[in-house]
Amino acid sequence: MDDNEELDYVEEDFYATLNLPRSATQEEISKAYRNLSRIFHPDKHGNGENKQKAELMFNRTKKAYEVLSDPHQRAIYDSLGVKGLETEGWEIVHRTKTPNEIREEYERLAQEREERRLQQKTNPRGNISVHINATDFFSRYDDEYYDTGLLPSIEVSGMSMSQSIEAPLSRTEIGTLSGSLHLQNGVGSGNFLLSGKRLINKGWFEVDCGAGNGPVLGAKGSRNLTNRIFLTGGTTFHFRPNAIIPGLSGTSAIQLDKHTVGYLTYNAGLQNSMSTVVERNTEKYHCNLTITLGIPHCYIAAAYTRKLLEQGLKLRVALKCVQGGTFGFLSECGAEKKVSKYSSVSATVCVGVPSGVMLKIKIIRSTQTYLFPIHLSEEIIPAAIFYATVTPLLTYFVLKKMLFDPMNEATKQKNIEKVKETNSARMAEKRREAESAIALMGALFERIRKDELKCEGLIIVSALYGKFSDVENVSLEEADDMGFVQQNPLVIDVRIPLQCLVKDSQLTLYSPSKSELPGFYDPCFGEEKQLKIDYEFKNKSYSSVFADSDPVRLPAVTNETSP
């Protein structure tokens, strides 16, 4: 299910109020304010109902101008929005700081808040791995003394669980409690570890103590020697009934270039080995090469992962060759798909000697990882490889269609309804403001339209904004199930406000959401909206349709078609 973020309170867009880009200069801000003041100033509308409407629109325009014309307030608004001006803005940042300093300060604070939020979500961390033996599917063992049954058997051959919890003790000290359980072929083991880490200048230091197959004590640390080189090392002591087994490990790393890092690691103790790793990580791909010399095995491994960020997809291939007591190799091919902001699933097909064919299913939910290695055959069998490849794909598409998509849509609609309820007063106010603005634009509309007719300029014939089920036949009225004609609640007429925004036979809209423009409001909150404009230019008719987030620049006769 998708992790739909809860929509927030709908805030005013001061740039849209003045129909300006976020990069507008002070001169452009002042000019836009003067133009709108000529329309909405209360002194220009007598003492009747129109004056009250003008006061409403003028105060909104004035508020937008006051914020955007002040460099300090504009910097806070750009970083935090209206809430920053009302609360944190002036409480944290000195008025004497420059706009650039304010922006940098708020970006830093926002990053810290995001890191704190992420840190809360990463505690605790957990991993569950369930090893499944399904070799009976493809290579059944026939025994004349044992009835194997009609259906192949599936066994859980092993299981492991691990969990850790981090607790910041101070700004420089972190405590970690972790534990794990392992069960393989009916034999189980477990351990727990208590760690204390302290951040020091250019590195950190950690002390560990735990118990499992006897007590364990250890210490490790890391230090940056230069901007490109750092060292990590540690030692452990495993206390057994008749011996103390020491362990030693050390890693040196060097930044070879912006995206490439090299590692040299040495381990001594329970296992002796030396390995070299070269890793390259860019926005488009990740690859690494590992060479390990050790007892009892030596191996060379290479892996390449292609990142398709727009599709939320990662494709991975890997190869590993082992030389030791017995020769073997392992090849992997898999994909990882992001199904929500905090969740992803992956499937990997592993083919090797002497391991055979294995399918690994991994589910990642925030900081919890669930791994299901399914052993399909002890030998390389084409049928096992085929089903290991096809079955995860079919399963994903079926679940996506029947489970993920409906649940995501239901969650999205639930959030939209919640925000509608939260912002009902604000949305009603926006509609009143739009109606008031249109009522005050009458004289300006007639004047601009008359001037444009004289020079055969830009004439807005029709302009509809909202959710369109049929772009060609969209209208302000629709027939209900009984055939009665009623007003379309998802579409509004914005011909007058658009004509009033025409300057020198050109119309330019900058706002990412047109619902914040003067004379506009959102008729279908949470839905995808469009703007359809039918217009005339140089005595020729044109029609254009824009998505809500698209900029609008008219006339664009070279890109439009006459109706």
Side-chain angles (χ1 to χ4, degrees), residues 110-127:
Q111 183 178 359
E112 288 181 356
R113 284 194 297 272
E114 178 67 16
E115 290 175 352
R116 287 196 298 269
R117 183 188 66 80
L118 184 61
Q119 185 181 29
Q120 292 172 354
K121 289 185 176 293
T122 57
N123 295 318
R125 298 180 181 180
N127 294 275

Side-chain angles (χ1 to χ4, degrees), residues 27 35 72 78 101 161 195 315 344 385 410 419 464 475 531:
E27 182 180 354
N35 291 335
H72 294 78
D78 287 346
E101 290 175 333
M161 302 173 61
S195 304
L315 303 176
S344 62
I385 298 175
V419 176
L464 300 177
S475 67
L531 174 63

Side-chain angles (χ1 to χ4, degrees), residues 136-248:
D136 206 30
F137 269 94
F138 299 98
S139 55
R140 301 198 67 179
Y141 179 72
D142 296 326
D143 191 338
E144 57 180 315
Y145 301 105
Y146 178 72
D147 184 9
T148 56
L150 296 177
L151 298 176
S153 64
I154 300 177
E155 299 177 349
V156 176
S157 58
M159 181 180 294
S160 61
M161 302 173 61
S162 63
Q163 191 78 24
S164 67
I165 298 176
E166 286 187 0
L169 305 177
S170 67
R171 295 184 60 183
T172 59
E173 297 176 342
I174 300 174
T176 303
L177 179 63
S178 61
S180 62
L181 292 172
H182 306 275
L183 178 65
Q184 188 71 29
N185 296 324
V187 179
S189 63
N191 63 73
F192 78 90
L193 190 68
L194 179 63
S195 304
K197 177 186 287 188
R198 181 180 179 84
L199 303 179
I200 58 177
N201 185 29
K202 296 184 179 182
W204 51 268
F205 180 76
E206 181 176 297
V207 176
D208 305 326
C209 62
N213 188 12
V216 177
L217 293 177
K220 54 187 173 182
S222 177
R223 183 172 179 83
N224 295 332
L225 301 182
T226 67
N227 292 334
R228 299 177 57 191
I229 301 175
F230 71 87
L231 297 178
T232 300
T235 182
T236 58
F237 295 91
H238 297 263
F239 294 87
R240 301 296 169 82
N242 300 318
I244 299 177
I245 303 175
L248 181 66

Side-chain angles (χ1 to χ4, degrees), residues 505-546:
S505 299
Q506 293 185 345
L507 174 65
T508 304
L509 304 181
Y510 302 97
S511 174
S513 177
K514 297 168 182 60
S515 62
E516 292 290 323
L517 291 167
F520 283 64
Y521 68 91
D522 193 340
C524 46
F525 184 83
E527 304 286 349
E528 292 185 3
K529 292 171 282 292
Q530 293 176 295
L531 174 63
K532 182 181 181 183
I533 306 175
D534 297 329
Y535 66 97
E536 294 180 356
F537 183 71
K538 300 301 181 183
N539 291 328
K540 291 185 178 181
S541 299
Y542 302 91
S543 181
S544 299
V545 179
F546 303 91

Side-chain angles (χ1 to χ4, degrees), residues 11 158 174 366 412 473 549 554:
E11 291 188 337
I174 300 174
S366 186
K412 178 182 177 182
N473 301 314
S549 58
L554 297 179

